[in-house]
Amino acid sequence: RTDVGSRELQVGNMTDFCFGRSASRAFATLTLISTTLLFASASSALDFDFEQFAHGEIVLGTVDGVTIGADNFNRTFDYAVAFDSTQTGTSDLDLEAGSGPWSGGNLAGTQLGTMMILQENNTGCDTGTCSDPDDERGRPAGVISLDFSIALLDFGFDAVDIESLAAENAIITFFDGQTSQSVDLLDFFDDTSQYYDSTLELGNNTANRFSPITADSLGLDQIDRIEFQLGGSGALDNLVGTPVPEPSTALLIGLGLGALATQRRRNAS
């Protein structure tokens, strides 16, 4: 028979025949839970880039569940701004990808597109789009903050044009409410540190991907805010993270386990 309803009935009967009705119901329950969890996880994961912004556009405020803030230590204004690395002839050649793209780092050869910088000047910024995007070179430059509407279990990012350990005394502070822990840039280059990564390379026009740091490794339950203290020039891109499971997800798991336990009791009787 060819109609959809008949095929579904035949499949259901075959499952009952091979495994018994109890196993068939348990299988259906597990399939429903697994499918629901898969889509719930995929829909809420943090995967944030800056491609939606125009070159020079101010990116402060809340976008896709991430609230972005800026504090420039050297100016009377505070702007986080989009910088399109595919542009040429800008005021910051070190942030231009070039033909390589990038002169070094573990992302050399990878085009990144638009990134986020702490803006050095306020030319044209009153329009919402700064006409001369250029990252702050003062040392230290300032802080870019990220607040997450859904707390994270881990967090990773890309960084461009971090010049050197001596020049860029950068610090990343992770928050869980009022509790915080910091990771220094030096920790990624110290082979005794749990965050050491031998693939990282600093210097002008370099691009690097920093592997996700877990809340557990920091002694935190979750991460709901991050502050990047920039030692000087640099840009951020491709923010990624695993969300803390929502209460509804835990409830689904509990309901599924309860259904299976009930089915086992029925089988035993």
Side-chain angles (χ1 to χ4, degrees):
R1 299 175 65 182
T2 58
D3 62 282
V4 173
S6 296
R7 286 202 300 271
E8 291 176 347
L9 180 60
Q10 290 166 6
V11 171
N13 289 340
M14 182 61 70
T15 304
D16 290 347
F17 175 78
C18 294
F19 303 105
R21 290 184 181 276
S22 298
S24 177
R25 293 190 187 99
F27 176 78
T29 301
L30 285 173
T31 300
L32 176 61
I33 294 171
S34 300
T35 302
T36 304
L37 292 179
L38 176 64
F39 283 102
S41 174
S43 63
S44 56
L46 176 68
D47 188 3
F48 191 101
D49 61 31
F50 298 90
E51 297 307 314
Q52 61 188 296
F53 298 101
H55 185 60
E57 185 176 354
I58 296 172
V59 297
L60 298 175
T62 302
V63 182
D64 296 337
V66 180
T67 302
I68 301 170
D71 181 10
N72 190 319
F73 296 165
N74 304 277
R75 314 292 167 183
T76 58
F77 51 84
D78 305 295
Y79 295 124
V81 166
F83 188 100
D84 183 357
S85 64
T86 66
Q87 297 272 339
T88 58
T90 70
S91 293
D92 196 332
L93 299 179
D94 289 338
L95 290 179
E96 296 180 14
S99 59
W102 314 115
S103 63
N106 62 24
L107 287 179
T110 302
Q111 187 60 261
L112 294 179
T114 304
M115 309 171 295
M116 176 174 62
I117 62 173
L118 186 65
Q119 177 70 356
E120 183 177 60
N121 64 72
N122 62 353
T123 306
C125 296
D126 56 346
T127 65
T129 299
C130 302
S131 55
D132 184 21
D134 191 4
D135 61 352
E136 177 59 56
R137 292 181 177 83
R139 303 190 186 281
V143 170
I144 289 179
S145 62
L146 308 170
D147 287 275
F148 307 109
S149 61
I150 298 176
L152 304 175
L153 295 174
D154 56 34
F155 178 79
F157 61 97
D158 295 347
V160 172
D161 192 37
I162 305 297
E163 295 176 1
S164 70
L165 287 177
E168 306 281 354
N169 184 26
I171 301 171
I172 311 170
T173 304
F174 299 81
F175 292 83
D176 176 6
Q178 298 301 312
T179 305
S180 65
Q181 291 291 339
S182 296
V183 177
D184 292 351
L185 181 63
L186 177 64
D187 292 327
F188 297 102
F189 296 87
D190 179 357
D191 61 10
T192 66
S193 166
Q194 63 179 321
Y195 305 119
Y196 173 68
D197 186 344
S198 63
T199 70
L200 299 173
E201 178 186 1
L202 300 184
N204 287 328
N205 195 240
T206 55
N208 290 280
R209 176 154 296 164
F210 289 74
S211 298
I213 295 173
T214 66
D216 184 65
S217 73
L218 296 162
L220 303 176
D221 293 328
Q222 60 184 20
I223 301 166
D224 55 29
R225 175 181 171 87
I226 291 175
E227 293 181 355
F228 287 91
Q229 179 171 308
L230 303 173
S233 62
L236 301 172
D237 197 11
N238 294 321
L239 316 177
V240 298
T242 305
V244 172
E246 298 179 7
S248 58
T249 301
L251 177 60
L252 283 172
I253 295 173
L255 289 173
L257 293 176
L260 290 177
T262 301
Q263 193 62 57
R264 290 195 188 99
R265 286 196 297 271
R266 288 176 179 172
N267 293 344
S269 61

